[in-house]
Amino acid sequence: MAEETPLFKVTIDNETIEVPAGTTILQAARMIGKEVAPPAMCYYGKLENTGGNCRTCLVEVSKGSEADPRPMPKLVPSCRTTVMDGMVVGNKTSERTVEARKGIVELLLINHPLDCPVCDQAGECKLQDLSYEHGAEATRYEFDRRTFPKEDLGPNIQLNMNRCILCYRCVKTADQITGCREHGVMNRGDHAEISTHIHKSLDNEFIGNIIDVCPVGALTDKTFRFKNRVWFLKPVDAHRDCPTCSGKAQVWFRGNEVFRVTARKDEFNEVEDWICNTCRFDKKDINDWVLEKPSEISKDSVVRQGHYFENKVEPKETLPKVIKRDPKILLDIHSVSEVNEPNRDLSKIDGPATSKDFKD
């Protein structure tokens, strides 16, 4: 009989939860809720061996465990550190963590171009969210930002290496989901870049998923490029009978026109079901999909401002209650003409009102 996995009690931002041994601090925080979970730019729960690159998920461990209550001297990456029984962790409640996260965001923005107004990722960019919550108003960086020459990855995927933060998500997606390594990280240090090395296109049937896992605008959809802004679109959960993938996707409409198709994501912005290139790039007609329901949008997302409203309450007309009569003509031009006569109903006049109508 297999031994049961022991449960460890961990406290994160004054919220206590019991989790199985081997659970990381980040996973435990996500079990508590989104408001407690640290941000993560490189960790991806649907992929193996991710995390440990961006350092945005650093937390402070003020108590190691019940057996050894000493605090950890340095901040630790929550995506790589497993919990211990009795551990106490500070995320948003830790001043050291908040201050360190500001420095990490500043580091990520050192070479990142300020092209949010033209970037297709704007409105759903995790780096934008981090900058809003932890970023500084101005940069202290005085040198030229690093730039890279354009590289063609094929007819469907646009690579803008200047925006890349080297999170390695796309590389691990290509390795684990598509089953082949068609691109990777070349060179080292500030010369490191995402490339195919021999400048070949990415044509695997599931390679389009690297667009969904990218937290910034480094990898975007060429079929959607510069066509619309995400906050003007309405995402709808839809499916189709696809022989290659699950066929479950998120279709983005404006009116009856389909602008783009993406994979469905959970509350932590991670893909639920991988979709194929045919569903993503080729099925851009409303008749290609069976619509299910409007997608659930996070309340802190800018996409929500133009989304569907549930239990919508129409505002009531309060003017008649204020003026104690039906609102007809509320003008006060002068006392000579009869324009201000309250009993005159111009709606009964056949055609536009003229001066003759007021004299009669």
Side-chain angles (χ1 to χ4, degrees):
M1 182 176 179
E3 295 183 0
E4 294 184 0
T5 304
L7 295 178
F8 287 167
K9 184 179 294 185
V10 57
T11 302
I12 305 174
D13 283 356
N14 303 320
E15 298 285 344
T16 304
I17 188 176
E18 288 188 346
V19 296
T23 305
T24 64
I25 297 176
L26 179 59
Q27 292 170 343
R30 289 187 173 185
M31 293 178 187
I32 296 175
K34 187 177 181 181
E35 66 282 354
V36 177
M41 301 291 286
C42 62
Y43 173 81
Y44 212 78
K46 302 299 187 297
L47 301 173
E48 298 177 358
N49 194 29
T50 59
N53 296 324
C54 69
R55 288 301 191 268
T56 57
C57 68
L58 288 177
V59 293
E60 179 182 9
V61 178
S62 57
K63 179 181 178 181
S65 64
E66 291 291 349
D68 186 1
R70 293 177 300 174
M72 293 187 178
K74 296 182 180 181
L75 301 181
V76 297
S78 60
C79 63
R80 289 284 190 174
T81 307
T82 56
V83 300
M84 299 298 292
D85 191 24
M87 178 179 283
V88 178
V89 180
N91 177 31
K92 294 181 179 180
T93 58
S94 169
E95 294 183 2
R96 288 181 61 194
T97 300
V98 173
E99 191 64 27
R101 198 163 289 157
K102 289 182 180 179
I104 294 168
V105 173
E106 185 178 17
L107 180 64
L108 292 176
L109 292 174
I110 278 181
N111 289 301
H112 198 81
L114 301 178
D115 57 356
C116 298
V118 298
C119 179
D120 285 324
Q121 192 80 359
E124 52 186 6
C125 176
K126 296 297 104 179
L127 190 55
Q128 276 186 330
D129 297 340
L130 272 178
S131 302
Y132 180 77
E133 295 176 4
H134 305 285
E137 295 181 357
T139 179
R140 297 179 292 174
Y141 195 67
E142 300 177 353
F143 304 98
D144 294 334
R145 299 174 187 269
R146 67 174 186 177
T147 57
F148 296 89
K150 293 183 178 180
E151 185 170 350
D152 186 13
L153 296 184
N156 295 321
I157 301 175
Q158 176 69 40
L159 171 63
N160 190 327
M161 189 56 215
N162 296 337
R163 302 171 183 165
C164 182
I165 61 171
L166 293 176
C167 69
Y168 287 73
R169 281 183 180 180
C170 63
V171 178
K172 295 183 183 296
T173 300
D175 187 22
Q176 299 176 23
I177 303 303
T178 67
C180 59
R181 282 286 295 273
E182 296 184 338
H183 73 295
V185 179
M186 309 297 171
N187 306 319
R188 295 180 179 181
D190 61 346
H191 295 287
E193 62 176 310
I194 300 292
S195 176
T196 59
H197 187 62
I198 55 176
H199 303 287
K200 61 179 292 188
S201 62
L202 304 180
D203 54 4
N204 185 278
E205 185 59 31
F206 282 86
I207 199 63
N209 290 286
I210 66 176
I211 298 174
D212 285 333
V213 302
C214 182
V216 293
L219 294 166
T220 53
D221 184 353
K222 280 187 177 181
T223 63
F224 176 66
R225 188 171 168 82
F226 301 141
K227 287 188 176 180
N228 218 307
R229 310 302 275 173
V230 293
W231 52 84
F232 293 139
L233 305 179
K234 291 181 171 57
V236 176
D237 289 349
H239 68 272
R240 59 180 293 268
D241 187 12
C242 180
T244 307
C245 66
S246 64
K248 298 178 181 179
Q250 198 174 51
V251 182
W252 297 71
F253 287 92
R254 187 169 186 178
N256 291 326
E257 184 178 358
V258 178
F259 276 85
R260 71 168 181 169
V261 178
T262 61
R264 300 184 190 181
K265 297 183 178 181
D266 58 17
E267 59 178 334
F268 300 108
N269 204 44
E270 293 185 356
V271 172
E272 295 179 350
D273 293 292
W274 308 104
I275 62 174
C276 63
N277 290 356
T278 302
C279 292
R280 183 183 301 274
F281 301 121
D282 299 334
K283 302 302 178 180
K284 295 295 184 68
D285 191 281
I286 189 174
N287 297 321
D288 295 330
W289 298 93
V290 178
L291 306 183
E292 299 176 6
K293 63 176 181 177
S295 301
E296 295 183 4
I297 304 298
S298 174
K299 64 180 180 180
D300 56 354
S301 173
V302 70
V303 180
R304 190 181 179 91
Q305 67 87 26
H307 203 238
Y308 309 93
F309 294 96
E310 296 181 359
N311 302 324
K312 183 178 179 181
V313 178
E314 294 287 346
K316 297 181 179 179
E317 182 60 60
T318 59
L319 190 57
K321 296 182 180 180
V322 175
I323 64 175
K324 306 301 182 183
R325 59 182 177 83
D326 294 334
K328 294 180 180 178
I329 302 176
L330 301 179
L331 300 177
D332 190 12
I333 301 176
H334 47 70
S335 59
V336 177
S337 68
E338 298 178 351
V339 173
N340 303 320
E341 184 179 345
N343 295 325
R344 186 177 297 277
D345 191 354
L346 296 182
S347 63
K348 298 179 180 179
I349 299 175
D350 186 15
T354 63
S355 59
K356 182 180 178 181
D357 297 316
F358 293 104
K359 294 178 182 179
D360 293 341

